[in-house]
Amino acid sequence: MADLTFLRGYNEALVMAVARTLPAFERATIAAATGLTPQAVSKVLARLVDDGLIAPAGVRRPAVGKPAGVYQLVADSRYAIGAHVARRTLRLVLTDLAGAVRDSAVTALPPDFTPGTLLRELAAGVGRLAAGPAGGRLTGVGIGMVGPLDHAHGTVRDAHRLRHWHDVPLRERAEQALGLPVHLDKDVTAGVTAEAWRHGPEFRDAALIMVESGVGAGLWLNGAAHRGAHTNAGEFGHTVVDLSGPPCVCGRRGCLEAVHDRAVAAGDIRGAARVLAVGVVNLVQTLDVAHVVLAGADLLAHAGTYRAEVEQAVRTQVPRADWQRAEVTLSGLGADVIAAGAAMQVLEARYGLPGRVAPPR
Ligand SMILES: [Zn+2]
């Protein structure tokens, strides 16, 4: 027998994915975008109105034909908190159901912090953000963290350059500490999710390149986050670009991250940007992504230089760049991109699909 609970959830997710992207919509708009019958859309809309996630917003009276009910997403009906755990800081944001950042906070983390320290800071920060009007409407907490990390099991396998993070079941421990559902993912995967929400359905094959005490890439392939067989895809900084290069924290030599960081340490930001650009061209050649989004505090501090070098490389080093175009942009969410994406992943897991459904043109 078919699992109707899932089917109902799936139809709701389809409708929410469209509702999220439009200022207002009608039953026919949703039916056209999702392929659901108008009757099925009516049922889903009724349930979503009951849950307070969408609300009627008047009636449109066309010159010809019947009046049509207009609906809107109720952005402040639900909230999520996203956490970006970096090697130096914990950044928290509160987002509404539409993914808009409504509040944020940054706390410094001690060098080489332990899981216990992080959980204490996380609980304190989440408590402060939840103290406002969002408190009773929190869906959960998303955490984006440095890897290697096992999203499926909610375990940090070995965070590079953090000694106390070997096989830590962070999702479970955070759920106990916070009393809320927790979604744990790699920082870069959370970040690329935020960009997918921001860009909409034309963002199908993309990479978020992040430089912030390390180099990583979040992958969005065929309209969804790509995590790979062990959910650890994106260790872009640990791909070798120089066989006789400097030793890397991961144990190999000449990793992109090690060569890049050596240039930064020598004060050569343009050289560092060129190293990153070589890696981005490798990625474009391997995956044929159409969007490259540059992010991370260390990159954004020299945004112009990085963007110029990457853009130039993508335009001149990809053999048929006139046809195989890849757009290079800076993250529009700035320093909040990972935390915001982690919050959006919570909303996505509960209420909707990622940007797979195209709104009607
Ligand atoms: Zn490495």
Side-chain angles (χ1 to χ4, degrees), residues 160 235 237-240 247-258:
H160 287 314
E235 293 288 330
H238 301 287
T239 55
V240 172
C248 181
V249 287
C250 73
R252 298 171 85 194
R253 296 191 80 89
C255 284
L256 189 153
E257 182 175 304

Side-chain angles (χ1 to χ4, degrees), residues 94-323:
L94 177 74
T95 72
D96 63 24
L97 185 57
V101 174
R102 304 286 287 264
D103 201 354
S104 65
V106 187
T107 313
L109 291 171
D112 214 13
F113 60 87
T114 63
T117 301
L118 175 69
L119 288 165
R120 265 195 310 281
E121 293 293 344
L122 188 64
V126 167
R128 280 192 295 272
L129 285 180
R137 287 168 276 167
L138 266 183
T139 302
V141 176
I143 302 176
M145 183 156 174
V146 288
L149 180 153
D150 187 330
H151 160 75
H153 293 95
T155 302
V156 179
R157 286 295 175 210
D158 269 304
H160 287 314
R161 303 192 228 192
L162 289 173
R163 274 180 307 146
H164 306 289
W165 290 83
H166 178 71
D167 288 351
V168 176
L170 179 60
R171 186 177 64 206
E172 195 186 319
R173 289 187 61 183
E175 283 183 342
Q176 286 164 359
L178 302 172
L180 285 164
V182 171
H183 185 278
L184 174 69
D185 212 336
K186 290 185 77 160
D187 48 9
V188 285
T189 307
V192 81
T193 302
E195 289 296 331
W197 277 51
R198 200 170 70 83
H199 284 255
E202 78 282 2
F203 194 81
R204 287 193 65 79
D205 293 282
L208 172 107
I209 307 295
M210 168 136 156
V211 184
E212 185 168 328
S213 53
V215 179
L219 303 173
W220 192 263
L221 301 178
N222 199 21
H226 176 79
R227 296 187 177 87
H230 306 90
T231 73
N232 196 46
E235 293 288 330
F236 169 67
H238 301 287
T239 55
V240 172
V241 293
D242 179 357
L243 290 184
S244 50
C248 181
V249 287
C250 73
R252 298 171 85 194
R253 296 191 80 89
C255 284
L256 189 153
E257 182 175 304
V259 179
H260 170 273
D261 288 1
R262 182 176 62 181
V264 171
D268 181 10
I269 299 298
R270 190 161 298 279
R274 283 199 186 120
V275 174
L276 191 77
V278 166
V280 170
V281 171
N282 291 346
L283 205 59
V284 170
Q285 291 286 57
T286 309
L287 297 172
D288 188 12
V289 290
H291 304 268
V292 174
V293 183
L294 304 177
D298 297 341
L299 186 154
L300 294 175
H302 307 280
T305 306
Y306 275 99
R307 187 183 178 173
E309 290 298 335
V310 172
E311 217 162 29
Q312 162 85 359
V314 164
R315 229 184 300 117
T316 59
Q317 293 173 25
V318 175
R320 281 298 307 272
D322 60 314
W323 157 68

